[in-house]
Amino acid sequence: MAQNQEIILYHYSFSPYARRIVWYLSLRQIPYSQCIQPPLLPRPDLKAIGISYRRIPLLSIGRSIYTDTRLILSKLDELYPPSATHPSISPSPSNTEHLALTQLLEFWAVDGGLFARGTQLIPPENPLLSDAKFQEDRKDYTGRSWTPEAVIKNRPEALVDIRGHFETVERLILGDGREWVLGGGGPGLADIEAIWLFHWLSTLPGALPPSYISAAQFPKVFSWIERFTAHERAAAHKVGKPKTIKGPEALERVCKSDFAETNGKVDEDDPTGLKEGQEVDVWPIDSGFKHKDRGRLVRLDGNEIVVEKENDSGVTVRIHAPRHGFRVSGVEGSKL
Ligand SMILES: N[C@@H](CCC(=O)N[C@@H](CS)C(=O)NCC(=O)O)C(=O)O
């Protein structure tokens, strides 16, 4: 059973995507361990487990390894149903309006350009941007240039765009004086979906020029960020600090686990025509697209792609990816 398994989160602390998961786990009082990763490749801890996917975060539950925060969040919702110990923060399944808004907020931030624009606001004087290794690494991740010159060139447009998004939250989402995106007495999944990029930018020194984007122009957004942070910290304190483990320990725990998720099967009428057991490659198509995971297909439907493979320790692991934003392709010449 998934709930008896240790959750391991692979991340680094300044990843805004990883914070989505950290916050979700603390707000739902789900304990976990963390295996801190370097911000640049290589990531030998992940390679040892059997993963090529390069983005952060990843989360393992037993021998199932989940990529992409969109899948991780929906999976945690599915594997950890609401209980007194792990109260729900998601809209109730019958509240389709709230479910729709939560999903649209996710699209907005991840696919709708909010994140892509946000990363263009890393201040050009940030020492990372003058580091040739960082520039090369992030070019591999996004396919675009990360030199300080490129960042300076994009900054004005990105600032205008991001200010427009602050405006949307200030006037349309929080405009009626509500404390949380869907109202109510505490932060929910909709707040996580909406806040993470604004939170990241407001805590990244030099990202936002105070004369253009600050609490002076957007008091509601900035107090929402403060309120959210206070709630999340209190929840994190209550559930207790995550245990930090090193790569070899994480590997051992993954390999020794007798759990791998087996939900789902390969849809027979999937438009790709791929078949169960076929050897396939899986990779994201928006960023980190040079890093493909190869394995036998065990699940394929509108929500998820799952492949199974043996890692270098000879242990079978399952790599789970969301269907949206990922490509799955049969390996030429592979036989069933
Ligand atoms: N859609 C992915 C995006 C993840 C992502 O882009 N993460 C950033 C860190 S915040 C990343 O992987 N950067 C490059 C790297 O660290 O290798 C998700 O939801 O998990």
Side-chain angles (χ1 to χ4, degrees):
M1 197 184 162
Q3 290 187 39
N4 302 331
Q5 301 294 318
E6 179 179 17
I7 290 178
I8 306 175
L9 180 65
Y10 303 82
H11 72 131
Y12 47 82
S13 66
F14 59 87
S15 157
Y17 272 107
R19 284 183 197 159
R20 285 158 54 76
I21 307 302
V22 168
W23 293 338
Y24 177 95
L25 291 166
S26 56
L27 291 175
R28 291 210 54 208
Q29 300 289 290
I30 301 177
Y32 64 99
S33 298
Q34 58 180 0
C35 181
I36 300 298
Q37 295 303 301
L40 307 186
L41 300 184
R43 299 197 175 114
D45 299 346
L46 294 169
K47 184 173 178 293
I49 291 171
I51 307 288
S52 285
Y53 178 81
R54 72 151 292 167
R55 303 191 302 194
I56 292 293
L58 293 106
L59 181 132
S60 63
I61 302 181
R63 286 181 289 105
S64 271
I65 296 109
Y66 301 94
T67 63
D68 200 288
T69 57
R70 291 167 288 190
L71 178 69
I72 296 172
L73 289 173
S74 64
K75 201 50 87 170
L76 287 168
D77 248 19
E78 180 190 320
L79 298 176
Y80 284 78
S83 66
T85 331
H86 306 303
S88 173
I89 57 164
S90 300
S92 106
S94 60
N95 194 336
T96 49
E97 185 186 334
H98 282 186
L99 287 170
L101 280 169
T102 307
Q103 190 170 329
L104 289 171
L105 289 167
E106 179 217 273
F107 282 139
W108 179 44
V110 179
D111 281 340
L114 201 48
F115 176 69
R117 278 305 197 192
T119 56
Q120 292 177 339
L121 293 184
I122 297 178
E125 55 280 5
N126 188 309
L128 269 180
L129 292 178
S130 327
D131 178 345
K133 278 196 194 135
F134 180 83
Q135 288 176 13
E136 247 340 278
D137 182 88
R138 285 326 195 238
K139 201 168 166 201
D140 170 275
Y141 155 62
T142 58
R144 67 177 164 87
S145 172
W146 284 72
T147 59
E149 297 72 41
V151 170
I152 289 168
K153 190 166 148 260
N154 288 323
R155 191 169 165 82
E157 229 173 70
L159 271 173
V160 176
D161 232 35
I162 290 292
R163 191 180 207 264
H165 293 305
F166 268 88
E167 196 108 30
T168 301
V169 182
E170 182 77 16
R171 286 201 311 113
L172 304 183
I173 298 182
L174 303 173
D176 64 2
R178 66 183 62 204
E179 295 214 309
W180 307 106
V181 169
L182 300 177
L189 182 60
D191 292 276
I192 294 180
E193 296 292 8
I195 210 168
W196 60 281
L197 205 271
F198 299 101
H199 182 283
W200 181 60
L201 289 175
S202 71
T203 54
L204 183 64
L208 303 175
S211 59
Y212 194 62
I213 303 176
S214 70
Q217 300 88 359
F218 302 106
K220 292 194 169 83
V221 184
F222 279 82
S223 63
W224 172 53
I225 294 172
E226 264 180 39
R227 202 161 45 244
F228 180 89
T229 307
H231 261 75
E232 192 279 327
R233 289 215 175 127
H237 182 75
K238 195 168 160 211
V239 67
K241 269 195 172 159
K243 207 179 318 148
T244 300
I245 58 177
K246 296 263 185 243
E249 200 178 338
L251 175 66
E252 194 186 331
R253 293 184 190 192
V254 168
C255 291
K256 277 199 174 149
S257 171
D258 56 5
F259 174 84
E261 196 204 315
T262 52
N263 298 347
K265 57 182 181 46
V266 175
D267 268 359
E268 280 172 14
D269 51 0
D270 191 89
T272 58
L274 293 168
K275 301 277 176 262
E276 190 178 333
Q278 187 174 346
E279 194 171 35
V280 296
D281 286 323
V282 184
W283 70 100
I285 50 179
D286 54 345
S287 64
F289 27 72
K290 291 192 189 162
H291 301 259
K292 303 183 176 181
D293 283 291
R294 182 165 289 187
R296 297 177 299 280
L297 191 61
V298 293
R299 173 172 178 176
L300 184 68
D301 54 36
N303 294 320
E304 199 171 333
I305 308 164
V306 185
V307 298
E308 193 173 78
K309 65 175 282 192
E310 278 70 52
N311 64 20
D312 289 346
S313 311
V315 171
T316 305
V317 292
R318 288 188 163 203
I319 304 173
H320 302 244
R323 188 71 189 264
H324 173 75
F326 281 67
R327 186 159 298 154
V328 55
S329 172
V331 174
E332 223 176 293
S334 77
K335 294 202 180 68
L336 273 180

